[in-house]
Structure formats: C-alpha cells, structure tokens
Amino acid sequence: MTYKGRLLVGLCVLALVVGIVPAVGAQGSVILQIAVPQFMLDVFTPEVLAPFEQQYGVQVQVVDGGTETLFPSQAASDVSGHLESIAEYVSAADVVVVTSDNLTVEATRAGYYLDLMPLANGDPTLNSDDFYPALYQAFQWDRGLWALPVSTSLNTMSYDQAAFDELGLAYPDPRWTLDDLAYAARQLTEFDPSGAVTSPGLLVSNAEGVALLLRSLLGHGFYDMNTLPEAPMLATSDLEALLTTWYEMVDEGIVTVGFQEGANDLPMTIGTGFFGGGGPNNQQNTRVDVILPGGHAELDAQAVAVSKGTLYPELAYDLAKFLTSSPEATNNPFGIRAARQSMLGVEVSNNTGGPGGGFRFRAVDAATEAILGEALPTGIGASELRFSSYVAQAIQSMQTEGLDARTALLDAEAAAIANLQTAADIGADTVITVASPDLPVVLAAGEISLNFGYSSLFRLGGLPNEDQWQALINEFVANDPQVGEIIMDAGGDPRISSSDDAATYDCYVLPTNSVADTDLTTILNLDPYLNSDPTFDPNDMVSGVLAQVQQDNKTWALPLTLSPQVMEYDPAAFARAGVPEPEGGWTVDEFVNALQALKVYPEDPTPFAPQDSGTSLLLLIAAYGGTPLDYRTNPPTANFNDPATVDAIRQVLDLAKQGYIAYNSEQGGGFVVILGGADDESPIRTQAFGGRGQGFGRGPGGGQGGPGGAASNNDYLMTTYPTGLQYNAVSYSMYTAYISASAQNPDACYRWISTIAQNTSLIGGMPARRSAINDPALLATEGQDTIDAYLEFDRLLGDPNTITLTSLTTGGDPASAILNLWLNQVFDDYVLNDGDLEAGLAQAQIYADGYLECVAALPPVDVASDNPGAGFQQIAECATKVDPGFSSLIGFGRAGG
C-alpha cells in the first residue's frame, strides 16, 4: 500500500507464501512483487533476488503475502470460503509459494492458478529431470502443471523401538497391511484391571492422517484417472474395506485420532511430523521414523505457483523457476530436502546472518538419509492425495453420525463432485486481477525518511493491527516538521542481535530488553533526549524497568510495555468449590488451599495447568522460600542443594506428583520441562500479557487473547503469582525501543519512539508507565481485573523481597540459561521417575559450580563480532567439560522458560 507514512508490513505465518505484482517502475522496468512471510524475510533479501533482477531487467519488491490465505478453510467443509480466501491470495501477487493447503483441485478448477505445463514444456532450460520425479508430479493433475516444487518435508510413521522389543514384536514394515498394524496396536495397547483402555497402541494426529495411511495402503489415488478432468472416486470396495477395518480399530480403542499431550511417548504415531533420526524423542531416545504401511510417505512439498491474473506469465514463471534453484529458497524452514537433486549439498551463501541467514535444513544424519532414500522414490504428494479431505470427512461422518463405510464414502464422493461444480461456477464469475505494487513516496524538499524496524517475540499471524499503526504513522508524519515518510518493517527477526538491527534501521523496537546483548557503540544513549522531553517522567515508570535498560549510568533503550507472567483463573470454578477469588493477589498458602479445594476427586481436572517451560515452578519455589537460581547476582548463584531450597523444591514438585499441577516432559530426554499445555478445563492457568501478535493478553480488536492472537478465555480473570513469607518472584519480558548510532536523523527517531511510548496500545501488554496503566481508556478495553493485576505486579516489582527471574526470552544470557537444564533434569527425574531429589540436586550443584568457574574465565561474548557463535560454543564446552552428558541435551531453546 502507498501513503505518506509508508507502511511495509512483513507478515509471519507457519507455511510458505510468496507473491509478485507487476507494474512499470521509474526507469520503465517491470516491478514484480514477492510476498514473503516474516520468518523468511531474512532469506529473500535484495542480495538473493538481485541475480534474477539483473538477468531479466526487472525490479522485485518484497511484500506481505497474507494470513488467512495460507490456511484457508477446507474445501470439503466450506468450498465457498476456501475459494474466497485463495482468490484473495492469488490477487495479491503474480507468484505465490504454495502447499497442498492452498493449492487445491478446487482452486485450479476455479481457474485461479496458471497452468505452467505449456511454459514448462517449451522451456529447454527447466531440466524437469533434475527434480525428484514424485515431487515434480506433486502438483500435476487434470493434465496441468500447477506449481514448481522448491522443497519438501516428510510425513511418516514413528514408533518406540523399546516398546516393541519389550513385547518381542516385529518392527513396523512398509509391507505391513492394515491387519498387521491393527495386531501391533492391539498388543501395544495398555488396559486397566477392568479391561478399559488406558493408553492406545497407535495415535494418528487427525482424520487427514488417517486418509494418508489409507492412501498408502490402497496403492492408488482417490480419483478416476480415466476421466478428464479427473473425477473423485471414493466409493470403491477396497477403500470401503480398509475404512471398515479402521473404524473397528477405533471402536476397539487400540487407536486414537487427534493430537494429545504425551503423544510421542505412545508406541506408534502417524502424522505428528518427521524429525529425522527418531523424531521428537521420548526420554529414552528410542523412537524411529519409518515409511507408512503400504510403502509410502507423504511428500509435503513447498512449491511456487503463478496467479492466473498475472500480466507477465513468462516473467512470473521465470521467477518461480529461479526460486527452485535458489539455495536460500530451497533451504527454507519447512523442508528437509530440496526438490531439485542438483541442490543436494548446495549451501547458502551465509549461515551467520544477512542474505540467506536464519532457518536452515537440519543436519541429515544416516538414519534420516536412509528414510529419505526410501521416501523420495515412492512418496505421495498433493496430486495423489487429492480428495483426501473428503475421505477424512467420511471418517468423521462414521464417528459422529454412525454411518457405515460405504454410505459415508458415497456421501463424501457426492460432496466432492458438487464442490468441484461449485468451484467451476464460481470461477466462471470471478476475474482474478493482480493488485498493483506500491511505488516509492516522493519526499518534499527538506523532508526525510525514517527506516523503522519492529520485531515481535511470537510473530504467528503477523501484525494484526496494521491499520492502527498506519493511522499513527500518518498522524505523526502529518504533524512532524521534518519526517515525510516512515518505512516500517514489521518482519524483524527477534533471533538476531540488536546490533544487527542497529545496522539495518534508524530506530527499532524489540520484544525483549537487549541492552546487555548489544554492542553499545551501535546505539545511542537516550539520556539527553529523555532529560529534555517534557512528556517523560522517570517517576512515572513502573518499578525497576528503567534500571533494566541502563548500563554505565546511561539509558540505552526506552521501555514501552511489559509482558509479565501471571496467572488466570476461572471465577465460576472457584465459586463452585467455595474458594475465595485471589483479588489483589494471594499468598502461597491460599494458592495451595485453592488447589486442594478445586481437586477433591481424582477425576477432577488438574487445578493448575502451566503453559510455559519451567518458569512457573521457579516462581512457586521462590514463594516457598527457595532460590535454586538467585538472579540477584550476575551470573545467578546456584543454590541447588541449600536445605531451604531443597525443601521448597520438594513442596512444589510434590504438588505436581499429587496431581495438583499439570506436568510432563515432552522433549529432550527429560532435560527440558514443558509443563501442562493448553487445558481449557483447568481452573488456574498461566498467562503472559504479551505484545500484539504474541497471542497473549486481552486487548481491543482481539476480544479474547489480544488482537489477532490465540484466544484467552474471557471468562478467566487475571491475578499474580502467589507471594511468600520470605520471597516473592516475578518474571517478565519487555518491549524496548532503540536509536541506531548510525541514524542520520536521531532527533526525529526519538520523536517517533516517544510517540510510540505514548501509544502502547499498539503493542499491547502492560504499559511501562503508571499514567498509562491508570488511563481510563485502558480500563475500558482491558477490564478491571487486568488493571488490578498490572498494579499488583508494579507493587511486587517495588518490593525489596521480590526476585526477578530471567530467561533467554526475558533478557537472560545463554550462560545462565544452561543452569536451568540441569535443574530441569532433576525435576523430571523426581516427578516422573520418583528419583532421589537430594542426590539429583547435589549432582546438579557439582555441575553448576564447575560450569560457573569455567565460564567466569571466558572472555565476554562479543555480540558485535563476525562470529559471535564462537563465544557461545565456548560456553557449551564449559558445560560439556563438567557434564559429558550435556552434549545430548536439545539446545538452549526452552531453558528457563
């Protein structure tokens, strides 16, 4: 879009979206727009696209690709909504990167995508033989070629080898029939003394996963290859027989459909993803990935398609072809193997940031390479899974309506035929026109442009309040005497260092306090601006936050909002149990009394379901008087075997063992605690008032869960974590604003970030200024319980007995985060394996003492160096030196929550 304060918003999504819009630029060249999701903006850089621009004499613009169009409603259940979403998508760009979710037979029947077959057949440089055959055919149907594949992931079967060994069962084999699978599932299912199933032998993630299994066993697609266009063919005797057997397995209870906690501890799973070398391992690291029974794996390809509305089909096709040979594009975060065989082993130009930095294929070990060798020649892609959503619909009809297999398949086949006719009818009345690209703003004499970056910690769904940012930018530009344009890039990557942002933008906002991680020579000291700003009062700031962004008695960032970790509770559940609501906070004794009153019978829901990776435990342990990691020192002091700490840890973990706190370890062999999970029935849950786009906290435009985010139930109210007699503990992250030392107009930058600080509703979360918390406008949108939680959190921050916990996402450093891994290992062993708590903590203390001594001798990590990873590697080597088993840990990602 184009307006005086130009807003370029990169949109973060969980699948690939790319688009191009043609127009004539200032020099008469064609402008192609390429829409890239936020998580890939560091891949599709000007340097990566420059070779194409130079070869073809065009300009390529990177733009927003959309959200809903990435995951449209399924055609089987809502064909009109499905097509409406895809029509919007293909109208945004000439070229779109697609998956089987948004390149469907219904969309091609509607005429939304360009058939590339004529262009491909006439292109002597395409070299179609270079593609893995199954991938090149993945988007071919009705004698058309609808996309060029870029890369692929796999969907396979995973099984626990130890479970099979224990029962002396043969391992899963591609030659298995459905009866073989049923036999193994039956043997691996666990029953209680009454004969009721307590744990099924097989889990399939969803009905689509069941359809994938049936397609593998069937040996042919769900379509009639003898018709043109190819018609759905579901009501066949062989599919009916398979579906009947499958339903009997479900009815028997030996198989369950739907992802659930602890899924990867079940003996067999299908559709939970392929991870290579054994998948998301259970604690014994005994899981193995295999081809599905029937001899196939799903090739879930990421591909590049061309909109039917493009004005430049040849150029759009050429760009699509270019991307299939781009190391940066083919090494995208969703793939495990490039679609072109010639790309095997080709590395990106730069793995340390800049062009081609960011997410990359994981290293392929021998086990992964072996399964790829089996899967690629025989894999089934989107073309062979056409109409599988209708098979999934038949499966659900059998379960919900009690239909037999044949009736369900006949109904599903009829629905598919009807939807294809609807698609053709809609397509006949729809003209796809690709939108024009933005043209550069022409600045008046004396006007300047600000390059502004905005990063969000959780970028799923992109920037949900783009129109509000646009309004603020327009208002600022209209009233500022100097600024004529603000180019806002909301695709900033929170994983890269603040120093990198300082080299890219004039001013920028980060979702964390990155002062400690930043080369301070790359950003400006804000004190001269703050001291002369009549709108800034240091006494108006929430307790302690200004000190968090200060070093060497200088202020390096402007605090904007806090994302405190708090609790939310169901007042209706509290009323039913006769439990007083924690208005204004509660003590740890009141918290435990509530847990016990809320869970009277074993079948009652777990009262407290944390949704974090361990911070909740540390907050509760502090309330009991324990400080296993004392963050009042830097680095934090490890007090793992201090008697008071041991007692506090035991009291909290015993609540988990007794079923009052949801607890499981899902990844990493027990080294990483992942508590609870989203449990809508739990009376008490964790919550974080995150910024917009994080999916946490309430706020305008979101109703539930904040603007555009995952819903937080509006029936739940907010409160702080319980306080203790000796200590309180809090944890929070903080949105902060910075000015680059290289900014040409730093005064204008400060005026802009100061404006943002006075409009923090755009970010969401708890304002860093008390005056903003007490603003009646905030009360109207957030509710009194949220305001009370903010005020109580401010009070706790000012309490001298309060300890602030840090983590990688709240400004902690990796050296400190590693300590959490040893602590979490002990927690897991005690709760899940009934291990010796004192012995485990004593060993963890030995590791911590040796590790901290080693790290203290290291030079500080130079985040501004060309290779900061070398410093982090030294830290990891210290951990491995004291604990040789550390190398088997799964990294730092969840250390300390």
Side-chain angles (χ1 to χ4, degrees):
M1 70 199 76
T2 301
Y3 45 91
K4 191 175 182 183
R6 187 177 177 203
L7 183 64
L8 297 181
V9 180
L11 188 61
C12 173
V13 293
L14 286 183
L16 300 175
V17 182
V18 179
I20 304 170
V21 179
V24 177
Q27 288 74 39
S29 61
V30 169
I31 297 177
L32 300 177
Q33 289 181 299
I34 180 168
V36 180
Q38 287 184 353
F39 60 87
M40 293 187 72
L41 287 174
D42 61 340
V43 174
F44 288 84
T45 62
E47 292 85 353
V48 171
L49 297 169
F52 178 82
E53 293 177 314
Q54 294 166 5
Q55 180 179 353
Y56 291 92
V58 301
Q59 300 176 45
V60 179
Q61 288 185 357
V62 177
V63 295
D64 177 2
T67 303
E68 290 82 4
T69 50
L70 189 63
F71 300 110
S73 58
Q74 286 198 347
S77 57
D78 179 17
V79 67
S80 296
H82 176 80
L83 291 174
E84 181 181 354
S85 183
I86 294 179
E88 177 185 352
Y89 180 44
V90 297
S91 297
D94 294 85
V95 173
V96 288
V97 168
V98 294
T99 67
S100 58
D101 289 314
N102 58 2
L103 203 174
T104 62
V105 65
E106 291 83 3
T108 59
R109 295 284 179 92
Y112 291 170
Y113 290 97
L114 183 69
D115 181 5
L116 303 181
M117 189 68 79
L119 291 167
N121 287 342
D123 182 2
T125 67
L126 175 62
N127 189 14
S128 60
D129 291 339
D130 185 34
F131 293 93
Y132 291 97
L135 287 172
Y136 191 62
Q137 297 162 11
F139 293 98
Q140 293 188 38
W141 54 77
D142 296 340
R143 296 187 183 176
L145 172 63
W146 305 107
L148 296 179
V150 174
S151 59
T152 190
S153 57
L154 297 182
N155 213 334
T156 60
M157 179 176 176
S158 172
Y159 71 95
D160 182 2
Q161 195 173 53
F164 277 75
D165 290 342
E166 184 177 349
L167 296 178
L169 294 174
Y171 299 145
D173 188 278
R175 294 167 295 183
W176 269 14
T177 65
L178 188 56
D179 288 336
D180 295 326
L181 182 64
Y183 174 80
R186 190 172 295 109
Q187 298 302 309
L188 293 160
T189 296
E190 296 179 5
F191 303 86
D192 65 15
S194 69
V197 172
T198 58
S199 180
L202 170 65
L203 175 142
V204 183
S205 59
N206 50 35
E208 286 72 25
V210 179
L212 168 63
L213 171 64
L214 298 179
R215 167 58 187 85
S216 180
L217 290 162
L218 198 61
H220 60 77
F222 305 125
Y223 60 91
D224 186 352
M225 61 186 303
N226 296 313
T227 62
L228 188 67
E230 292 147 349
M233 187 174 64
L234 308 183
T236 60
S237 58
D238 49 358
L239 182 55
E240 178 187 348
L242 287 172
L243 195 52
T244 299
T245 299
W246 173 260
Y247 190 76
E248 291 171 352
M249 294 168 62
V250 173
D251 192 53
E252 189 178 349
I254 61 176
V255 60
T256 186
V257 179
F259 195 83
Q260 62 187 41
E261 289 181 14
N264 290 305
D265 287 326
L266 294 177
M268 295 185 291
T269 61
I270 294 174
T272 56
F274 174 78
F275 294 81
N281 295 318
N282 57 4
Q283 294 189 46
Q284 290 73 39
N285 195 24
T286 57
R287 296 203 75 83
V288 177
D289 291 301
V290 292
I291 301 298
L292 292 169
H296 304 280
E298 179 186 5
L299 301 180
D300 190 5
Q302 300 82 44
V304 192
V306 175
S307 169
K308 187 64 175 290
T310 180
L311 298 179
Y312 301 99
E314 291 84 3
L315 275 175
Y317 164 80
D318 287 331
L319 180 56
K321 180 178 65 173
F322 167 81
L323 295 176
T324 68
S325 296
S326 165
E328 288 76 16
T330 57
N331 278 276
N332 68 74
F334 286 99
I336 194 170
R337 178 56 55 85
R340 284 188 180 270
Q341 300 174 70
S342 61
M343 298 302 295
L344 181 62
V346 177
E347 297 183 357
V348 296
S349 58
N350 182 356
N351 278 320
T352 61
F359 290 107
R360 288 292 163 258
F361 287 158
R362 63 186 66 83
V364 177
D365 58 17
T368 302
E369 194 61 56
I371 197 170
L372 280 169
E374 291 184 72
L376 289 170
T378 62
I380 48 181
S383 62
E384 285 301 306
L385 286 170
R386 272 176 292 157
F387 310 118
S388 61
S389 60
Y390 296 94
V391 176
Q393 190 177 64
I395 295 169
Q396 293 178 339
S397 296
M398 292 177 67
Q399 295 174 335
T400 59
E401 301 175 30
L403 301 182
D404 62 86
R406 180 159 183 80
T407 302
L409 289 170
L410 283 169
D411 288 351
E413 183 177 296
I417 293 172
N419 282 349
L420 289 174
Q421 184 59 52
T422 299
D425 294 342
I426 291 176
D429 296 329
T430 303
V431 177
I432 300 298
T433 303
V434 172
S436 299
D438 295 335
L439 297 178
V441 171
V442 178
L443 298 174
E447 287 188 330
I448 65 167
S449 175
L450 290 182
N451 192 12
F452 171 62
Y454 181 89
S455 298
S456 175
L457 189 60
F458 300 99
R459 294 173 294 157
L460 300 181
L463 196 63
N465 58 338
E466 174 184 332
D467 56 338
Q468 296 174 44
W469 276 101
Q470 174 182 337
L472 183 65
I473 289 174
N474 285 341
E475 180 183 355
F476 178 84
V477 169
N479 293 289
D480 191 86
Q482 185 183 22
V483 178
E485 175 189 37
I486 294 177
I487 301 175
M488 178 177 176
D489 177 8
D493 189 343
R495 296 170 299 123
I496 65 176
S497 73
S498 174
S499 301
D500 288 338
D501 278 335
T504 305
Y505 307 110
D506 298 314
C507 38
Y508 55 96
V509 169
L510 296 177
T512 59
N513 171 19
S514 295
V515 170
D517 305 325
T518 301
D519 176 1
L520 298 182
T521 64
T522 65
I523 58 176
L524 291 183
N525 169 23
L526 300 185
D527 286 326
Y529 299 103
L530 296 174
N531 293 337
S532 60
D533 183 357
T535 69
F536 177 77
D537 179 4
N539 296 317
D540 187 37
M541 302 300 290
V542 167
S543 300
V545 299
L546 201 58
Q548 294 290 324
V549 295
Q550 293 175 335
Q551 277 194 24
D552 304 326
N553 295 317
K554 298 177 181 178
T555 306
W556 299 100
L558 182 62
L560 300 175
T561 65
L562 280 66
S563 301
Q565 183 160 328
V566 294
M567 290 180 169
E568 60 177 9
Y569 67 94
D570 181 0
F574 273 55
R576 288 193 299 269
V579 179
E581 294 184 32
E583 297 177 353
W586 48 359
T587 66
V588 69
D589 288 338
E590 291 169 337
F591 170 71
V592 173
N593 289 339
L595 295 182
Q596 294 170 344
L598 290 164
K599 186 178 177 65
V600 178
Y601 303 105
E603 62 271 17
D604 289 339
T606 303
F608 178 38
Q611 294 166 266
D612 61 73
S613 53
T615 305
S616 294
L617 292 182
L618 296 179
L619 293 169
L620 293 174
I621 289 168
Y624 272 106
T627 56
L629 289 170
D630 191 341
Y631 287 94
R632 291 171 295 184
T633 63
N634 187 22
T637 302
N639 300 312
F640 296 165
N641 59 356
D642 172 72
T645 294
V646 173
D647 181 65
I649 291 173
R650 185 185 303 279
Q651 292 189 71
V652 172
L653 295 186
D654 281 349
L655 292 172
K657 295 179 74 171
Q658 295 161 10
Y660 293 113
I661 299 177
Y663 188 107
N664 67 77
S665 182
E666 189 68 28
Q667 297 179 351
F671 290 93
V672 178
V673 179
I674 298 179
L675 297 174
D679 186 350
D680 291 334
E681 295 183 355
S682 294
I684 308 171
R685 306 183 301 206
T686 55
Q687 182 62 283
F689 293 102
R692 289 180 180 267
Q694 288 189 231
F696 297 115
R698 300 181 186 174
Q704 300 180 28
S712 166
N713 192 328
N714 264 349
D715 294 333
Y716 280 68
L717 301 178
M718 305 299 173
T719 189
T720 52
Y721 272 75
T723 58
L725 294 176
Q726 184 177 1
Y727 299 121
N728 314 309
V730 296
S731 181
Y732 66 95
S733 59
M734 180 164 57
Y735 273 72
T736 48
Y738 305 80
I739 299 177
S740 169
S742 61
Q744 296 296 307
N745 299 281
D747 292 356
C749 265
Y750 179 77
R751 293 195 299 273
W752 171 235
I753 65 173
S754 177
T755 299
I756 296 174
Q758 297 169 59
N759 292 271
T760 55
S761 61
L762 290 176
I763 300 173
M766 173 180 170
R769 303 188 186 197
R770 296 189 178 103
S771 57
I773 295 175
N774 293 308
D775 188 340
L778 187 67
L779 173 63
T781 58
E782 299 289 346
Q784 188 62 53
D785 68 294
T786 301
I787 302 302
D788 290 343
Y790 288 165
L791 295 172
E792 174 63 10
F793 197 83
D794 181 23
R795 186 195 70 78
L796 287 173
L797 286 173
D799 189 326
N801 294 323
T802 296
I803 301 172
T804 299
L805 307 183
T806 63
S807 72
L808 287 177
T809 58
T810 60
D813 62 278
S816 302
I818 286 177
L819 295 170
N820 285 278
L821 298 176
W822 286 308
L823 189 61
N824 290 344
Q825 181 185 12
V826 178
F827 289 179
D828 273 5
D829 187 52
Y830 179 70
V831 175
L832 303 177
N833 304 322
D834 202 26
D836 188 323
L837 182 63
E838 285 86 351
L841 290 171
Q843 182 60 61
Q845 186 71 52
I846 294 173
Y847 289 152
D849 291 342
Y851 166 74
L852 289 172
E853 181 181 355
C854 178
V855 169
L858 297 177
V861 176
D862 184 2
V863 296
S865 70
D866 292 335
N867 186 20
F872 297 127
Q873 180 61 35
Q874 288 182 311
I875 292 173
E877 289 173 356
C878 280
T880 304
K881 178 180 178 181
V882 299
D883 176 13
F886 176 82
S887 60
S888 65
L889 302 186
I890 67 169
F892 308 158
R894 291 182 181 266

